[in-house]
Amino acid sequence: MRSQFFFLLFLSLIVVSAIVDVDGDDDDDEERSFSLFLGKGRGGLERNFYRISCPKAESLIRDITWSNVRNDANLGARLLRIHFHDCFVKGCDASILLDRTGDEKSEKEARSNLSLKGFEVIDEIKTEVEKECPGVVSCADIVALAARDTVSYPFGRSMWDVFTGRRDGRISLESLATVHLPSSFDNFTSLQQLFASKGLDINDLVALSGAHTIGVSHCASFSKRLFNFSGKGDMDPSMDPIYGEQLKKICPIPTNGATTLEMDPQSSLTLDSDYFNLLTKNKGLFISDAALLTDRRSARIVRQLQSPRPFFRAFAISMINMGAIEVLTGTNGEIRKNCHVVNP
Ligand code: HEM
Ligand SMILES: *[C@@H]1O[C@H](CO)[C@@H](O)[C@H](O)[C@H]1NC(C)=O
Ligand SMILES: *[C@@H]1O[C@H](CO)[C@@H](O)[C@H](O)[C@H]1NC(C)=O
Ligand SMILES: *[C@@H]1O[C@H](CO)[C@@H](O)[C@H](O)[C@H]1NC(C)=O
């Protein structure tokens, strides 16, 4: 009787705190954080899927990731981007890791892979995890967990939940990557449509674009904005002109394919809300970044995410959403033995 009372009290506390925790101002937002609080992943994924089949998997993945990121702080951005490219093309199924088998190029050979790096860390993790529990942990889950853990390293704690139980796909085609990945030259409408086709809404589009607070870009991804925006040798008028002149110095024509620059120059190694502050100052690097200001609803979200707390919260929710895109679970797909090739 007593324990029932305390259980009910506990339940109502959960409900109350979930409601109080909401500081967003629209209903949609409330629903999103509520389902997060109850710990329901989407797409049939669950919390700590390997707790019985491979109890050490998650800590092993975190330890290997952290020892790598300790030596190379750029890994956070690299592994996060691999996870994004994986999820947007045929779902989060580790198709991005497959090598080509015949004449046809695989996903990672697509032009939009431009500079994807960090694959060797996934290989190292997979090798160790296979030693611990052969044939149990999917490459897709490793990608999702390693992305979270590298980005979380500077904070010393997990910055978002990763629900697990993904299985690996058997198809990887360059042609799919070309269609399903957004381009840095996309306008708002195209971005919104592409994200919607993955089950992601404007909140997700804006929050996830905040990933550009870490990492680097090559000049080719934005140089058109600087030198020949409308074909008249002009600069994109939506870009801060002083910032534009600085970029021209770093990325003169002819473009040097090896030059990279930090997208958030002040703190390109840590996840923070700076991306949104830069955006509102017209210092977003890509057309696709600046595009988030061209729609009234998304511009409003950009302003909301300018401070750390709302940003971290929104980013965590949207990473869970992204990590659930078209996942294979149950008896679909397979647990690849080697992340580079499908099982025989
Ligand atoms: C909204 C549409 C998006 C577009 C058009 C886009 C485009 C790009 C481009 C062009 C680059 C630079 C590539 C280069 O020149 O080397 C880049 C870098 C990056 N993107 Fe995105 N991206 C988008 C969304 C995302 C999302 C959703 C994430 C993750 C959640 C993400 C994470 C990253 C990271 C971390 C980097 C830096 C990679 C590194 O330093 O190695 N991006 N993105
Ligand atoms: C990405 O594509 C380029 C060009 O097709 C290729 O040279 C490079 O090896 C690819 N990257 C990876 C990681 O496969
Ligand atoms: C956005 O881009 C698409 C594809 O390039 C184009 O068809 C559309 O007209 C553009 N929309 C706006 C509002 O510029
Ligand atoms: C600028 O773009 C126009 C139209 O696409 C093209 O004719 C011209 O050659 C370009 N100029 C430079 C310097 O690339």
Side-chain angles (χ1 to χ4, degrees):
M1 192 53 206
R2 252 175 88 99
S3 63
Q4 268 178 356
F5 170 76
F6 280 113
F7 180 68
L8 282 176
L9 182 71
F10 176 68
L11 263 189
S12 47
L13 279 178
I14 290 182
V15 171
V16 168
S17 57
I19 291 168
V20 170
D21 186 48
V22 169
D23 51 18
D25 48 5
D26 55 35
D27 296 343
D28 186 35
D29 206 29
E30 251 171 67
E31 209 174 283
R32 291 155 64 87
S33 41
F34 194 67
S35 65
L36 175 72
F37 195 87
L38 292 180
K40 284 259 190 292
R42 288 199 342 216
L45 301 177
E46 36 182 290
R47 206 182 278 279
N48 208 358
F49 178 81
Y50 301 107
R51 66 188 168 275
I52 293 160
S53 56
C54 189
K56 288 192 189 147
E58 292 205 12
S59 57
L60 195 57
I61 293 169
R62 191 200 54 213
D63 292 347
I64 301 172
T65 312
W66 281 15
S67 74
N68 275 281
V69 73
R70 208 173 286 135
N71 295 327
D72 181 0
N74 298 306
L75 271 179
R78 291 174 181 169
L79 295 191
L80 182 58
R81 188 154 181 250
I82 289 179
H83 182 35
F84 160 53
H85 281 219
D86 183 30
C87 291
F88 266 60
V89 188
K90 280 190 78 63
C92 316
D93 67 344
S95 51
I96 187 73
L97 303 181
L98 288 173
D99 295 336
R100 75 153 100 177
T101 45
D103 290 340
E104 204 163 356
K105 287 183 177 174
S106 67
E107 225 172 283
K108 61 173 135 173
E109 295 177 86
R111 229 179 66 81
S112 27
N113 86 11
L114 198 73
S115 61
L116 281 182
K117 285 182 181 165
F119 291 104
E120 68 289 348
V121 179
I122 306 291
D123 291 337
E124 185 188 337
I125 295 172
K126 179 65 173 175
T127 306
E128 292 307 314
V129 169
E130 282 298 300
K131 279 186 206 154
E132 175 75 21
C133 323
V136 172
V137 182
S138 68
C139 299
D141 277 341
I142 291 176
V143 167
L145 288 162
R148 189 267 310 272
D149 294 339
T150 37
V151 171
S152 300
Y153 176 74
F155 300 90
R157 64 188 166 87
S158 295
M159 299 307 285
W160 63 87
D161 290 325
V162 173
F163 294 83
T164 43
R166 295 172 188 78
R167 292 168 64 86
D168 300 324
R170 294 178 55 89
I171 297 169
S172 176
L173 295 172
E174 179 207 26
S175 51
L176 291 175
T178 314
V179 179
H180 290 273
L181 285 168
S183 147
S184 60
F185 301 101
D186 280 353
N187 61 31
F188 179 80
T189 317
S190 303
L191 290 170
Q192 185 191 3
Q193 280 168 1
L194 184 65
F195 274 65
S197 74
K198 308 290 163 195
L200 301 178
D201 64 15
I202 302 182
N203 292 290
D204 299 310
L205 167 62
V206 177
L208 292 174
S209 295
H212 291 166
T213 173
I214 54 176
V216 295
S217 166
H218 290 77
C219 301
S221 302
F222 57 86
S223 150
K224 179 181 184 275
R225 296 185 78 191
L226 308 176
F227 298 104
N228 207 4
F229 181 66
S230 63
K232 295 177 203 141
D234 53 342
M235 190 187 285
D236 182 345
S238 74
M239 179 180 259
D240 176 274
I242 297 171
Y243 182 53
E245 291 304 329
Q246 287 167 355
L247 292 175
K248 279 183 179 176
K249 292 204 183 85
I250 303 169
C251 295
I253 286 184
T255 309
N256 177 345
T259 306
T260 57
L261 88 163
E262 297 162 332
M263 296 187 278
D264 169 8
Q266 303 300 319
S267 55
S268 73
L269 296 175
T270 33
L271 190 74
D272 55 35
S273 52
D274 285 359
Y275 170 82
F276 299 99
N277 295 314
L278 291 171
L279 263 194
T280 55
K281 292 177 188 145
N282 299 320
K283 291 181 181 179
L285 193 55
F286 305 139
I287 290 178
S288 60
D289 296 320
L292 302 179
L293 297 175
T294 62
D295 174 83
R296 203 173 46 81
R297 292 156 304 167
S298 87
R300 180 166 145 264
I301 304 168
V302 166
R303 287 192 299 274
Q304 284 169 353
L305 301 190
Q306 275 183 277
S307 41
R309 232 179 69 91
F311 165 64
F312 285 126
R313 202 170 124 261
F315 194 73
I317 294 169
S318 292
M319 282 304 297
I320 292 173
N321 292 340
M322 187 181 93
I325 297 174
E326 296 159 39
V327 287
L328 301 169
T329 54
T331 53
N332 296 321
E334 62 185 21
I335 304 297
R336 241 176 257 157
K337 278 272 171 200
N338 171 347
C339 293
H340 288 260
V341 289
V342 299
N343 292 343

